[in-house]
Amino acid sequence: MFDHVKFGVSDCEKSKTFFLQALQPLGVELIDEGTPDYGVEMSSGDVSLCLFQTNEKPAPLHLAFVANTRQQVDAFYHAALSAGGLDNGAPGLRSYGENYYAAFVISPDGHNIEAVCHAPESV
């Protein structure tokens, strides 16, 4: 559905480090880095996440990233916490669907970041 999502952060370097470390288990890598107005672009394929430096305070976002396996959700959660994220829901099944396995963390700017896997548990 999306080509890219771009939003402002209060500390671009800190947020870049957080997102790259937290999303590394999902295959996300740094694609481009430019001027402060441009910011940084990271991707795992066809969709990009872009961050730029700003002093404006947007409302908190909820961003959910696709994980192919439940192990990726677990790895995302631990990577995000070690990158400075705050726990907002440990990995586990949720009531949103039969196989909705997700974890939630709060980013440095207070955004709710989720990794979700819709596949059944591997045998």
Side-chain angles (χ1 to χ4, degrees):
M1 173 182 253
F2 298 106
D3 181 76
H4 65 277
V5 173
K6 183 173 184 174
F7 61 93
V9 294
S10 63
D11 184 331
C12 199
E13 191 62 34
K14 183 176 182 178
S15 290
K16 176 183 83 171
T17 300
F18 169 80
F19 280 100
L20 284 173
Q21 186 173 338
L23 300 176
Q24 185 276 329
L26 306 180
V28 172
E29 299 177 341
L30 184 65
I31 301 301
D32 195 13
E33 192 165 5
T35 65
D37 288 345
Y38 176 83
V40 298
E41 179 180 3
M42 50 194 81
S43 179
S44 64
D46 295 334
V47 179
S48 294
L49 174 65
C50 306
L51 310 173
F52 67 96
Q53 182 73 40
T54 184
N55 291 325
E56 294 180 37
K57 284 286 187 187
L61 301 171
H62 177 153
L63 298 174
F65 293 90
V66 174
N68 295 318
T69 67
R70 292 180 182 195
Q71 291 78 18
Q72 282 185 319
V73 172
D74 296 346
F76 152 81
Y77 177 75
H78 294 294
L81 292 180
S82 70
L86 301 175
D87 173 36
N88 198 33
L93 289 170
R94 304 290 190 243
S95 62
Y96 313 130
E98 181 180 355
N99 289 306
Y100 199 108
Y101 187 88
F104 302 84
V105 297
I106 302 297
S107 76
D109 279 291
H111 302 302
N112 185 20
I113 310 302
E114 172 185 1
V116 58
C117 176
H118 295 280
E121 187 171 18
S122 299
V123 181

